[in-house]
Amino acid sequence: MSAQRLLVTGGAGFIGDAIVRTALDRGWTVRVADSLRSDVHGGPPSLDPRAEFVRADVTNPSDVPALLEDVDVVCHQAAKVGLGVDFSDAPDYVASNDLGTAVLLAGMATAGTSRLVLASSMVVYGEGSYRGPAGPVRPAPRRAADLDAGRFDPIDEATGEPLEPVLIPEDAPLDPRNVYAITKLTQEHLATSWARSTGGRAIALRYHNVYGPGMPQNTPYAGVASLFRSALERGEAPRVFEDGRQRRDFVHVRDIASANLAAIEHTFGAEPGWFRAYNVGSGVVHTIGEMAEALSTHAGGPSPVVTGEYRLGDVRHITASSERLRTELGWEPAMSFDEGMREFATAPLRAAVRDR
């Protein structure tokens, strides 16, 4: 693979940087494209000097042709992430994620670049998978009245009892429940259409809760792991929403990077017009409260505070089945929850971002 050139969009970001370093270590020639948005990057990024860096915005059609010169595979990580502050964020999400992906794919079609790995997300599913007395159940979006009353778990309408959460496979129904989720699913649809119309090969990796060194801090768009870690950095207790029993799959950023490399290499053997989605998770379930406790313990900081607050766009439980990725691509996560949280509790974060 040493003769192949990889383009990583968003390659100066948290996940993109980990992918860049992993690819370089495996002998790839890597070009990094990043717009260095101020609401993502609080200061100059720490770029690997072995990579070529180009400051560029994939939403700008004039930036894309030069990025794709002599590129064999594109790993598309550039996106606005997180639930957002309120609906006024919607135009920026759609422009950053969907317009940016459309512009990039149009440029790839023109350049003849035929291999794509796309950063997708667990949020495309909405709620996770559940089982009731009669079998699989797909709960409706949670109601504000129930959440105000502290009724956080989806309920079986026939029995009134909480549904049993189970691991979600890739063929589960897709039901995005906030603007960010809608844009991630749209990115997948765009990649599918591109692959079919151009004969390209595309993989979408549906990341579950990613954490690790180099996460951004003090930004409303960061994941919950970053928010807890940022609070501890300030000497404050992590604030845990709902009752802290939300089930998640926390996966280390270096495992995400290795999954991307497995996907990149897999595109070379795929048939033209091929698209496939894969969950990327550790396969081990933990609650958000357990993560907060682990970080507080390893950081020697104050114990978490369970607030009962909620965000209406959040889902209650979602945990991954990554069996497809393990079986078809031979990928295995290397970092355990305890080992990862111990490292993350004291690992450096990125500089705090400022308002854009």
Side-chain angles (χ1 to χ4, degrees):
M1 289 293 179
S2 60
Q4 303 292 343
R5 182 180 295 276
L6 171 68
L7 170 66
V8 182
T9 69
F14 165 52
I15 294 174
D17 181 65
I19 295 168
V20 169
R21 294 175 189 275
T22 300
L24 289 165
D25 289 344
R26 297 194 184 182
W28 284 79
T29 299
V30 180
R31 178 177 294 145
V32 173
D34 204 295
S35 65
L36 301 181
R37 284 177 56 149
S38 61
D39 58 346
V40 176
H41 301 275
S46 177
L47 300 170
D48 193 305
R50 295 174 293 171
E52 174 194 358
F53 174 72
V54 181
R55 185 164 185 171
D57 187 340
V58 294
T59 67
N60 184 351
S62 65
D63 283 359
V64 171
L67 297 179
L68 294 171
E69 288 181 5
D70 301 319
V71 163
D72 300 287
V73 190
V74 175
C75 185
H76 185 34
Q77 305 293 314
K80 184 179 177 75
V81 302
L83 183 56
V85 176
D86 54 39
F87 198 80
S88 64
D89 280 329
D92 194 20
Y93 273 107
V94 173
S96 299
N97 298 357
D98 297 338
L99 176 62
T101 299
V103 170
L104 176 67
L105 291 175
M108 291 174 66
T110 299
T113 308
S114 64
R115 296 176 178 86
L116 171 74
V117 174
L118 170 70
S120 188
S121 171
M122 66 180 186
V123 296
V124 299
Y125 298 112
E127 278 287 345
S129 289
Y130 292 84
R131 184 183 297 118
V137 179
R138 192 72 178 165
R142 297 188 294 172
R143 300 177 301 180
D146 290 331
L147 298 171
D148 287 336
R151 296 188 294 268
F152 300 120
D153 283 299
I155 300 297
D156 180 73
E157 294 184 2
T159 66
E161 295 297 317
L163 296 168
E164 176 191 359
V166 296
L167 299 182
I168 194 163
E170 289 86 352
D171 57 2
L174 304 180
D175 184 19
R177 295 184 177 183
N178 58 58
V179 172
Y180 170 60
I182 291 165
T183 66
K184 297 309 288 185
L185 182 54
T186 301
Q187 285 184 298
E188 289 196 19
H189 288 327
L190 287 167
T192 303
S193 177
W194 166 83
R196 289 173 177 167
S197 65
T198 67
R201 294 91 167 158
I203 288 176
L205 296 179
R206 294 173 179 165
Y207 303 158
H208 285 248
N209 287 76
V210 187
Y211 73 96
M215 285 195 85
Q217 62 175 305
N218 299 337
T219 165
Y221 305 102
V224 66
S226 176
L227 297 177
F228 291 166
R229 178 67 180 78
S230 296
L232 290 165
E233 187 92 350
R234 299 188 301 268
E236 300 171 4
R239 294 177 60 83
V240 180
F241 280 16
E242 302 186 19
D243 58 5
R245 296 176 185 167
Q246 307 95 305
R247 292 161 58 97
R248 295 290 188 270
D249 187 323
F250 299 104
V251 56
H252 195 278
V253 68
R254 290 196 292 273
D255 287 331
I256 291 286
S258 69
N260 272 272
L261 266 293
I264 288 164
E265 291 165 2
H266 192 73
T267 62
F268 282 86
E271 293 293 321
W274 181 83
F275 174 88
R276 188 82 158 150
Y278 295 89
N279 288 334
V280 190
S282 71
V284 180
V285 175
H286 289 277
T287 67
I288 287 178
E290 287 171 344
M291 181 187 66
E293 287 283 359
L295 289 175
S296 292
T297 297
H298 292 309
S303 297
V305 175
V306 179
T307 69
E309 297 172 83
Y310 66 85
R311 299 189 302 179
L312 195 58
D314 278 338
V315 298
R316 177 59 172 173
H317 303 298
I318 182 162
T319 51
S321 169
S322 299
E323 186 60 31
R324 177 185 288 183
L325 184 60
R326 294 168 187 253
T327 300
E328 296 185 10
L329 273 63
W331 174 83
E332 290 285 344
M335 183 69 77
S336 71
F337 178 81
D338 290 338
E339 183 182 5
M341 290 297 158
R342 183 179 295 108
E343 176 201 44
F344 182 50
T346 57
L349 299 176
R350 288 176 177 245
V353 301
R354 60 187 184 273
D355 291 336
R356 190 168 187 259

